[in-house]
Amino acid sequence: MIESDLVLDETWSTQKDAAKQAGEQNELRQALELRPTRIVAMGGGTGLPMVLKGLARRATPKPGEPGLDLTAVVAMSDDGGSSGRLRRTRGALPPGDVRNCLVALAEGKGPLSEVFQYRFAGKKGLAGHAVGNLLISALAELKGDFMEAVRVSGTLLGAKGRVLPSTLAPVDLVAQMEDSTEVVGESNICRARGRIRKVHLSPSAPAPVDGLLESIRTADMIVIGPGSLYSSVMPNLLVDGVAQALRETRALKVMVANLMTQPGETDGMDCLDHVRAIIDHVGPVLDAVLVNGTTPCEEAVRRYARKGSTPVRVDRRALIDAGVIPVEADLLKEGSRIRHDGRKVTRCLLKMARSGI
C-alpha cells in the first residue's frame, strides 16, 4: 500500500512538472505573439553586422508580427586599424565595431550610412580613418560620455535597435599560446599565427556597461557569433557578470557557427572545438548551434585553402554529446565568396526563437 502511494505520488509529481513546463512554454509563446521578440546579439567584426542587418529588416511591427527588440553587444578590445589609432592617439574607446553595428541596424544604404562608412584614402593624416569612427569619437569627447555618443549616432542613422559596448573600460585581449608564450593585443594575436590555448582581458573581468546584464536576463534569444572566436566573440563573454547572466537567463542561447576557419586564430578547429573553447572559458552557456548544411563550391574552397582557411567541419553527434543541439540549414550566400546569407540566418533564428529551438 505504501509503495503504491509512493508510485502515485511520483507519477503525480512528474505530471505536475511536465504541466508546469508546458504552461511556461505556452506563456512564452503567447507573450511573443503580443510583444516584440527580444534578441541580444553578441560579437564583433563582420559577423555581428551581418546578423543585425538581417534582423533589422524584421524589426518593425506589422499586422500579425509584433517585430523585434534588438540589442547588439560589441567587443571593445579592438586595437588595430582606425580604432587602434584613435585609442593610441586620443585615448578613445574603439568605435569601429560599434559603427558597423549601428550602420547595420540602420537597414539600408542611406546617405548618412555611406558617410559613416567612408574611409579616407592616402597614407598620411586622416588616411585609413572611417568618418563614423571620427564622429563617434568626437561626440564622446564633446559629451564626455561614450554611451551618449553611441546613442546620438544611432538616432542620426535611424538604427532599429541599440548598440551596447560590452564594457567602457579600456581593455586589451591577452592570449596564452600552446607554446606557453603570451601575446598582448588583438592585432598581435592574429599575427602570431600560433595555436591559442586561452584568452583573457586585461584588466581582467572589467565592469559591464549599464543595461547589459539586464538585457541578457530579459531576452528571448541570445545570438553569439558568427565571427572571430577569440578576438570578436570571446571578449564579450569575459566581461564581469556576463557568463553568469547567460547561465541564468531563460533565453534560448544560439551560436551561429563560422563557415570557415580563421588563419592564425582557429586553424584546424572544427565546430565542436569552437563550442568547447567557449565552455572552457565561461562554462555551459550554449543551448544550440546553427550550422550550415550546404557545401560551398569546390573552386571557392580551393581558393580559401591557398590562404590557409578551410571549411569548419561539423560532427552533429559530438555536439549533442557536448550538450549542444545542432540545427542545420542552408546558410550560404550566393557568389564567389563563402559568406553567410543574412536573410537565411534571420529566418532560421526567428523560427528557433518562436519555437523554442
Side-chain angles (χ1 to χ4, degrees):
M1 188 67 176
I2 294 175
E3 290 182 3
S4 177
D5 288 343
L6 287 173
V7 170
L8 288 172
D9 287 343
E10 290 175 0
T11 302
W12 174 238
S13 177
T14 302
Q15 289 174 344
K16 284 197 299 182
D17 290 343
K20 181 180 178 182
Q21 185 176 4
E24 289 176 349
Q25 292 175 345
N26 188 48
E27 288 176 8
L28 178 59
R29 291 193 187 97
Q30 289 176 349
L32 293 180
E33 291 174 0
L34 300 173
R35 61 162 174 79
T37 303
R38 295 188 288 256
I39 298 180
V40 173
M42 310 178 74
T46 59
L48 181 56
M50 178 276 299
V51 172
L52 295 175
K53 188 174 182 180
L55 291 171
R57 297 188 181 102
R58 306 287 290 274
T60 304
K62 299 176 182 178
E65 292 185 20
L68 306 176
D69 180 346
L70 300 175
T71 299
V73 179
V74 183
M76 296 301 287
S77 52
D78 187 6
D79 65 351
S82 172
S83 288
R85 287 167 61 192
L86 288 168
R87 288 187 70 174
R88 291 188 294 273
T89 61
R90 307 295 304 180
L93 290 170
D97 285 347
V98 169
R99 179 197 86 244
N100 285 329
C101 290
L102 288 171
V103 171
L105 285 170
E107 190 208 357
K109 294 185 177 180
L112 193 54
S113 293
E114 291 184 8
V115 171
F116 260 69
Q117 296 295 64
Y118 178 77
R119 197 175 291 273
F120 290 100
K123 296 182 179 179
K124 296 181 180 180
L126 295 177
H129 279 300
V131 171
N133 287 358
L134 298 176
L135 180 58
I136 293 171
S137 295
L139 283 168
E141 290 189 16
L142 180 66
K143 302 288 186 180
D145 185 341
F146 187 79
M147 276 308 307
E148 181 62 17
V150 175
R151 283 191 288 268
V152 170
S153 299
T155 299
L156 289 172
L157 288 164
K160 297 182 178 180
R162 64 174 179 164
V163 177
L164 294 178
S166 56
T167 181
L168 295 178
V171 294
D172 290 309
L173 186 66
V174 182
Q176 297 170 345
M177 314 301 285
E178 284 208 336
D179 63 2
S180 298
T181 59
E182 189 173 85
V183 182
V184 180
E186 276 190 22
S187 52
N188 291 328
I189 292 169
C190 292
R191 286 194 291 265
R193 309 285 292 189
R195 189 68 181 256
I196 297 170
R197 180 185 299 161
K198 208 151 192 178
V199 295
H200 67 270
L201 294 176
S202 179
S204 62
V209 71
D210 288 346
L212 171 56
L213 302 185
E214 182 64 17
S215 294
I216 292 172
R217 293 189 181 107
T218 60
D220 300 306
M221 169 178 272
I222 311 289
V223 181
I224 299 174
S228 302
L229 175 64
Y230 291 106
S231 54
S232 292
V233 173
M234 208 72 79
N236 293 298
L237 308 181
L238 297 174
V239 170
D240 190 34
V242 169
Q244 182 177 347
L246 287 171
R247 289 192 292 269
E248 293 175 351
T249 183
R250 293 175 59 190
L252 178 66
K253 293 156 287 189
V254 181
M255 184 178 81
V256 181
N258 291 340
L259 300 174
M260 307 294 290
T261 61
Q262 183 174 351
E265 187 162 333
T266 58
D267 300 285
M269 293 178 66
D270 63 10
C271 188
L272 179 62
D273 292 327
H274 284 69
V275 169
R276 279 179 173 162
I278 290 177
I279 294 173
D280 289 345
H281 279 77
V282 295
V285 296
L286 297 174
D287 297 315
V289 56
L290 180 60
V291 301
N292 173 57
T294 304
T295 304
C297 72
E298 292 184 7
E299 192 280 327
V301 172
R302 286 194 295 269
R303 189 172 67 252
Y304 275 72
R306 288 194 289 270
K307 298 180 180 180
S309 180
T310 60
V312 174
R313 301 182 309 278
V314 178
D315 184 332
R316 294 158 191 79
R317 173 50 57 185
L319 288 169
I320 293 171
D321 291 342
V324 179
I325 300 172
V327 178
E328 183 179 298
D330 170 22
L331 303 178
L332 275 184
K333 186 174 184 177
E334 293 184 4
S336 59
R337 297 192 298 175
I338 303 176
R339 293 285 188 273
H340 284 95
D341 186 310
R343 293 178 186 269
K344 293 178 180 178
V345 172
T346 295
R347 283 197 295 269
C348 291
L349 290 175
L350 294 184
K351 285 182 181 178
M352 294 170 71
R354 287 164 182 162
S355 67
I357 188 58

